[in-house]
Amino acid sequence: MKTIGKIAPLLLALHAVSPQVLADEFSDVYRSYQQAWESGNHIDARSFADKAYVLGEAKFGKDSVDYANLGLNLAKALRKDNSGDFAVNRQRATEIATLSLTSYEARFGENAADLIEPLIVLGDVTEDSKTAKNAYQRALKLAKASGKADLLAYTRMNAYKRLSRTEYYTSAVYGYIRDAHEYFVENHPANSAVRLEATYMLAGAHMGNGKYQKAEPLFLEVIEQYKIFDYAHPYALGAHSRLVELYERMGKSDLSTEHCIAIGSMKPWDDNQEQTPLFRKNPEYPMELVRRGKSGWAEISFTVDEMGMVRDPKVLDSEGGKGFEKASMEALSAWRYAPKFEDGKPVKAESSVRLDFRVER
């Protein structure tokens, strides 16, 4: 691997360092990695994980499980860090996770439950959907054979999380999150982090399959449980956001309003950036312009009122004809946003958006 090859000079230098100095340096670097990872600083986490991986080879040896664990940490950090080349990061993460899995197999055998975690990491970091599917199928088989119900539920939930985003999303994968959720409900308290994660995922799965009546109470449950926190948990924000979309699709705009307002109170409004709609209706491409193969765009300014509704849209600029302006204005009238908050209350705010229309040739 070219990327790993670049650190070879450092590895050679490490052999001249005393064991105690090496141990102290490794401890400092690894501690910094843990702190960065736990705080969500993915750029620093990746940097420190990389350094720990280099130091770990000299400290533990290339064939040790400790070194393999450092590889899994680095693979996950590479997957999370979006500051570099995405494709290069994913490829390197896949290669390192594969090496770590091989070390686990050499230590524990190919049928040990110990392989589940490295298989999950490999499935998560690889960009190749088939590799992810194979890794998770193997992890699920090992989890079932282990006889550990909690481990099986955890593996099913993660398998759903990864495979639901691929061409291998089937009714069986849908069943993974249903089964995992059922287990966590029966065996974990209502405010358990893993149970709430499964609840959020199952709600999303139901919604994706058009089962809005099943999704609604699950999203509401997630919101209720996270009310105990004094910060905006991503799943609580996500549940509010999905309910806005759900209610708009059900034609219940009045119910989506409270969730638009809730998100506005949880997330600061940034006047310097384009606001992201919680629900958007795509504009209809004017048929006459489609037939003529004409592309264009329309830039619209508007007011987001205290309920997150679009008011007073005005055309700022456009290209391609009035048809694009009209289609953009009609679509925007159905969009919903999180309103701006000032002094704890929702207020009106100005925003704008550009809608592009392109004919594929």
Side-chain angles (χ1 to χ4, degrees):
M1 293 181 288
K2 291 183 179 179
T3 311
I4 295 179
K6 292 178 181 178
I7 60 179
L10 177 57
L11 286 175
L12 292 174
L14 287 174
H15 291 297
V17 179
S18 72
Q20 185 57 49
V21 171
L22 178 61
D24 291 343
E25 184 179 1
F26 173 81
S27 296
D28 290 342
V29 169
Y30 188 72
R31 190 180 305 111
S32 296
Y33 154 74
Q34 289 179 309
Q35 292 171 349
W37 180 262
E38 290 169 4
S39 66
N41 185 340
H42 300 309
I43 295 176
D44 283 354
R46 177 261 175 91
S47 177
F48 286 120
D50 220 334
K51 292 176 183 177
Y53 191 57
V54 174
L55 294 168
E57 181 175 350
K59 178 176 173 60
F60 301 112
K62 209 168 197 175
D63 298 325
S64 72
V65 172
D66 288 322
Y67 182 63
N69 286 332
L70 294 173
L72 297 177
N73 290 342
L74 177 54
K76 290 187 289 185
L78 284 163
R79 173 68 179 85
K80 287 287 189 178
D81 179 15
N82 296 320
S83 64
D85 187 306
F86 175 82
V88 170
N89 282 354
R90 290 293 287 270
Q91 179 61 30
R92 187 179 174 214
T94 302
E95 291 171 353
I96 291 173
T98 301
L99 288 173
S100 293
L101 174 61
T102 300
S103 291
Y104 264 77
E105 289 172 333
R107 172 68 181 274
F108 300 106
E110 296 188 354
N111 298 311
D114 303 82
L115 271 60
I116 294 173
E117 188 62 26
L119 283 166
I120 287 176
V121 173
L122 174 60
D124 287 346
V125 303
T126 181
E127 194 172 5
D128 182 67
S129 298
K130 187 174 182 180
T131 299
K133 181 197 72 169
N134 291 340
Y136 266 107
Q137 284 184 338
R138 189 177 171 194
L140 286 165
K141 182 178 179 181
L142 294 175
K144 289 177 183 176
S146 74
K148 298 177 181 178
D150 218 67
L151 179 59
L152 177 58
Y154 170 81
T155 307
R156 281 172 169 164
M157 182 174 71
N158 281 276
Y160 165 80
K161 187 191 304 185
R162 178 65 178 92
L163 299 181
S164 62
R165 307 192 306 269
T166 72
E167 66 271 29
Y168 298 108
Y169 183 32
T170 62
S171 58
V173 174
Y174 187 16
Y176 293 162
I177 191 60
R178 287 200 310 265
D179 292 344
H181 178 259
E182 181 180 353
Y183 172 81
F184 290 132
V185 167
E186 291 177 354
N187 295 278
H188 288 254
N191 61 355
S192 159
V194 70
R195 173 173 166 175
L196 286 171
E197 184 177 11
T199 301
Y200 181 76
M201 287 185 193
L202 181 57
H206 284 328
M207 186 170 173
N209 283 279
K211 299 179 179 180
Y212 300 153
Q213 299 294 342
K214 288 187 175 182
E216 179 187 11
L218 296 177
F219 281 131
L220 291 172
E221 179 183 341
V222 170
I223 291 169
E224 184 63 30
Q225 291 300 326
Y226 279 118
K227 282 181 179 179
I228 63 173
F229 295 114
D230 58 358
Y231 64 91
H233 192 282
Y235 284 152
L237 279 168
H240 280 299
S241 180
R242 298 305 298 275
L243 282 169
V244 171
E245 181 183 358
L246 184 150
Y247 287 135
E248 291 294 338
R249 293 188 182 282
M250 295 175 70
K252 298 180 178 180
S253 291
D254 55 326
L255 292 179
S256 71
T257 296
E258 66 176 283
H259 299 285
C260 290
I261 294 173
I263 294 173
S265 68
M266 298 164 78
K267 291 181 66 176
W269 179 282
D270 188 344
D271 288 309
N272 298 316
Q273 71 177 36
E274 182 180 298
Q275 305 307 310
T276 302
L278 300 173
F279 172 79
R280 60 176 293 163
K281 175 185 176 184
N282 290 328
E284 294 185 11
Y285 210 117
M287 289 306 300
E288 175 59 26
L289 297 176
V290 172
R291 285 193 289 268
R292 290 161 55 191
K294 192 157 188 174
S295 299
W297 52 268
E299 186 176 0
I300 314 293
S301 68
F302 54 91
T303 299
V304 175
D305 71 10
E306 299 90 337
M307 296 186 293
M309 292 183 171
V310 172
R311 305 294 187 191
D312 305 320
K314 296 181 179 66
V315 177
L316 294 175
D317 199 3
S318 69
E319 184 179 286
K322 294 290 184 181
F324 293 137
E325 296 179 4
K326 182 181 178 182
S328 297
M329 299 277 275
E330 289 177 351
L332 270 172
S333 65
W335 288 23
R336 299 300 300 271
Y337 286 85
K340 181 177 182 178
F341 264 66
E342 288 183 352
D343 299 323
K345 295 181 179 180
V347 298
K348 294 179 181 178
E350 301 304 312
S351 191
S352 64
V353 69
R354 171 171 157 156
L355 298 178
D356 293 296
F357 299 78
R358 291 190 178 87
V359 176
E360 298 295 333
R361 299 181 184 279

